Amino acid sequence: MQTRIALLAAVLLSACQQSETPEQQATRTQAETDSARSAITDGNARWVRWVNQNQPDSLASLYVPNGVVMPPDVPGATGRDSIAARLRPLVVPGGTLAVTNENVSVSGPIAIARGVWSYTAPAQGGNPA
């Protein structure tokens, strides 16, 4: 009997909840997009600063403790220590990184940022710039 009452209460509660109006949804979506854009812009600024100041170990702090980085043509790295080790050889002293966001889209907990980045590094030993 208690299960039936709890189930009925849950059904009634969900039926009483008002859905978002289109205006409320648009306002919420814009707030989520603005928040994601701000977080992505801040993360990109730190990434650029740390690469340009030759601080590759700081880059790992941008990832959650069990985060994964998957650079092209090499195995991925999981966890901040592995991420730092994977990124260390990619940051060349004297290199310059630039990042520009073109668009940020948000859908629930997922944000997608499109943009352009460029990295210029000086010649190292026998390797060209």
Side-chain angles (χ1 to χ4, degrees), residues 18-96:
Q18 295 180 351
S19 62
E20 279 184 315
T21 66
E23 294 81 13
Q24 290 170 326
Q25 181 182 16
T27 300
R28 179 183 51 78
T29 301
Q30 186 62 52
E32 291 171 351
T33 300
D34 292 345
S35 177
R37 183 180 292 110
S38 177
I40 290 167
T41 299
D42 179 58
N44 285 348
R46 288 187 283 164
W47 187 278
V48 168
R49 183 175 64 247
W50 289 330
V51 168
N52 293 345
Q53 293 175 352
N54 194 32
Q55 298 175 345
D57 290 345
S58 297
L59 298 173
S61 70
L62 295 172
Y63 294 84
V64 294
N66 63 342
V68 178
V69 66
M70 295 181 289
D73 302 324
V74 295
T78 302
R80 288 184 177 149
D81 290 340
S82 294
I83 290 170
R86 176 71 69 233
L87 296 176
R88 214 172 282 128
L90 301 177
V91 178
V92 176
T96 303

Side-chain angles (χ1 to χ4, degrees), residues 94-111:
T96 303
L97 175 66
V99 176
T100 303
N101 284 333
E102 293 179 349
N103 182 283
V104 176
S105 301
V106 177
S107 179
I110 298 172

